[in-house]
């Protein structure tokens, strides 16, 4: 089992977020966004830092990462695709708020 402070030593070739390749760094300031991927990880995009409970930086190695929210990844905090094997399912997204009727 991976200790909380452990950092992945090598980038596995089967990471779930491989399909979200980094775009070239243009140096532009952009906001951080977190997207809950249906039945999968949280995708974090933009300039961010991931810290251990003791404040050590976990190198993300890319601008977009997938964070595990199913709890079974062997690369926590990163998703390793294990959510597919366990059939992880998320709640359906609630409908977007509607504008008030005028
Ligand atoms: S969300 Fe992908 S392994 Fe947990």
């Amino acid at each position: 089992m991976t200790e909380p402070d452990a950092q992945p030593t090598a980038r596995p070739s089967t990471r779930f977020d491989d399909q979200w390749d980094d775009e070239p760094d243009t140096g532009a300031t952009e906001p951080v966004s977190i997207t809950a991927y249906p039945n999968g990880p949280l995708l974090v995009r933009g300039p961010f830092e991931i810290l251990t409970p003791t404040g050590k930086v976990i190198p993300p190695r890319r601008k977009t990462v997938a964070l595990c929210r199913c709890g079974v990844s062997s690369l926590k905090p990163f998703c390793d695709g294990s959510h597919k094997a366990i059939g992880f399912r998320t709640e359906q997204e609630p409908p977007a708020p509607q504008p008030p009727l005028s």
Side-chain angles (χ1 to χ4, degrees):
M1 179 169 227
T2 305
E3 294 297 318
D5 288 347
Q7 298 177 13
T9 55
R11 182 174 166 242
S13 61
T14 56
R15 283 179 53 157
F16 180 73
D17 57 350
D18 281 347
Q19 60 189 293
W20 289 277
D21 282 337
D22 285 340
E23 297 171 9
D25 186 358
T26 62
T29 303
E30 57 188 280
V32 174
S33 69
I34 301 174
T35 305
Y37 195 79
N39 306 321
L42 298 173
L43 299 182
V44 184
R45 295 181 173 96
F48 58 85
E49 280 188 329
I50 302 173
L51 305 174
T52 68
T54 59
K56 293 180 184 173
V57 174
I58 299 173
R61 299 192 173 97
R62 49 181 44 201
K63 284 175 46 182
T64 300
V65 298
L67 298 179
C68 176
R69 65 174 168 158
C70 75
V72 299
S73 173
S74 60
L75 295 173
K76 290 183 194 96
F78 303 106
C79 169
D80 69 356
S82 296
H83 60 272
K84 294 177 189 172
I86 65 165
F88 177 67
R89 294 287 175 257
T90 55
E91 304 268 333
Q92 277 197 328
E93 188 172 317
Q98 298 296 312
L101 297 174
S102 54

